[in-house]
C-alpha cells in the first residue's frame, strides 16, 4: 500500500516539474570548457570555489571518511569526469583518498579501480557514461544509511542543510530564502539561489537561474571567477 502511494507521489512530482527536466549539455567525454585539464591536486581548491552543494558534500565526506559508498562514488566520479579530470588523474585522486583510510593499494586496485575505469568507458561494454543531471539525482535512488549521494535540497534534513549553506558563507537571510524554495519543492531554484548568494549576484526572483546540472553550476562558477581572476 505505502510503496504504491509513494510511487504515485513520485510520479506526480515528476509531472509537476516536467518543465525543469534537463535537455542541455550532457558533459560527456570532453575537456572542461573553462580549462585544459584538471589534476588531482586541483580538486580540493576547486571544490571550495566552484563545486555545487551536492558535490561539495560528497567531496568533504570523502575527505573525512576516506570512502564513499557505490552511488556516492558514481555521482561524484562522473561529475569529476565532466569537469575535465582524466582517467589517470581520477585514479590518482581516488587512490590517494582511499589509502588514507588504511586501505592498501592492492585492495584499491582490485576492488575499486575497475569501476573508475568503467565510468570512463575503458572496461565492460566501454560505454561513455555521462555526469548525472539534477533531475536524475533528485529522482534517483534516495540516500540510505551511510550514503552521501543525492541532492542536499531534496534529501538532507533542514538543520543539516542550514549548516552546509552557512559554511558556504551564505547569510541567514539568504538561507531563509533558499529554504522557502526547498519547502515548495523547487530544489533547482534553491540551488540557483545558492549560486547567486555564493557569487554575490542578485537573488531577485526574476534573475535567479534554476540549476539543471551540477556541471553547469561548476562551469558558470568558473566563468564568473575567470572574469575577475586567474583560476587554479
Amino acid at each position: 500500500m505505502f510503496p504504491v502511494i509513494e510511487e504515485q507521489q513520485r510520479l506526480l512530482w515528476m509531472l509537476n516539474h516536467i518543465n525543469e527536466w534537463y535537455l542541455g549539455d550532457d558533459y560527456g567525454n570532453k575537456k572542461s570548457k573553462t580549462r585544459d585539464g584538471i589534476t588531482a591536486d586541483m580538486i580540493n581548491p576547486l571544490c571550495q570555489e566552484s563545486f555545487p552543494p551536492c558535490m561539495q558534500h560528497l567531496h568533504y565526506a570523502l575527505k573525512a571518511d576516506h570512502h564513499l559508498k557505490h552511488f556516492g562514488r558514481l555521482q561524484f566520479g562522473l561529475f569529476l569526469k565532466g569537469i575535465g579530470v582524466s582517467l589517470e588523474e581520477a585514479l590518482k585522486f581516488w587512490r590517494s583518498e582511499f589509502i588514507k583510510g588504511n586501505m592498501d593499494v592492492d585492495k584499491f586496485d582490485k576492488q575499486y579501480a575497475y569501476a573508475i575505469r568503467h565510468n570512463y568507458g575503458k572496461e565492460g561494454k566501454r560505454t561513455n557514461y555521462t555526469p548525472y543531471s539534477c533531475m536524475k539525482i533528485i529522482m534517483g535512488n534516495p540516500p540510505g544509511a551511510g550514503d552521501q549521494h543525492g541532492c542536499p535540497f531534496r534529501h538532507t534534513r533542514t538543520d543539516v542543510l542550514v549548516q552546509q549553506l552557512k559554511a558556504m558563507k551564505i547569510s541567514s537571510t539568504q538561507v531563509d530564502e533558499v529554504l522557502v524554495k526547498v519547502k515548495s519543492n523547487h530544489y533547482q531554484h534553491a540551488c540557483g539561489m545558492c549560486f547567486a548568494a555564493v557569487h554575490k549576484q542578485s537573488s531577485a526572483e526574476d534573475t535567479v537561474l534554476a540549476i539543471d546540472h551540477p556541471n553547469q553550476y561548476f562551469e558558470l562558477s568558473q566563468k564568473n571567477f575567470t572574469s575577475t581572476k586567474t583560476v587554479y
Side-chain angles (χ1 to χ4, degrees), residues 34-100:
T34 55
R35 57 180 67 249
D36 294 329
I38 293 173
T39 59
D41 60 357
M42 292 179 180
I43 294 174
N44 194 58
L46 282 172
C47 173
Q48 297 172 29
E49 184 176 79
S50 292
F51 282 17
C54 56
M55 299 306 167
Q56 279 199 9
H57 176 72
L58 284 164
H59 179 73
Y60 292 138
L62 176 61
K63 299 292 283 187
D65 300 333
H66 308 299
H67 190 271
L68 287 175
K69 296 178 74 172
H70 173 72
F71 289 115
R73 296 196 303 273
L74 197 56
Q75 181 177 320
F76 191 40
L78 290 175
F79 168 78
L80 294 177
K81 176 186 176 185
I83 68 172
V85 178
S86 68
L87 171 58
E88 293 73 18
E89 290 298 320
L91 286 167
K92 179 180 177 181
F93 171 72
W94 287 101
R95 185 182 292 113
S96 68
E97 287 301 328
F98 274 49
I99 63 175
K100 291 175 185 175

Side-chain angles (χ1 to χ4, degrees), residues 116-160:
I116 297 169
R117 293 195 299 271
H118 192 271
N119 285 347
Y120 280 77
K122 302 301 182 182
E123 300 286 358
K125 295 180 180 179
R126 301 186 182 276
T127 301
N128 176 37
Y129 294 98
T130 57
Y132 288 0
S133 68
C134 292
M135 186 57 70
K136 184 167 184 175
I137 293 170
I138 290 168
M139 299 307 300
N141 292 299
D147 285 323
Q148 305 293 347
H149 68 279
C151 169
F153 304 104
R154 171 69 177 87
H155 299 114
T156 302
R157 290 199 330 262
T158 300
D159 59 325
V160 177

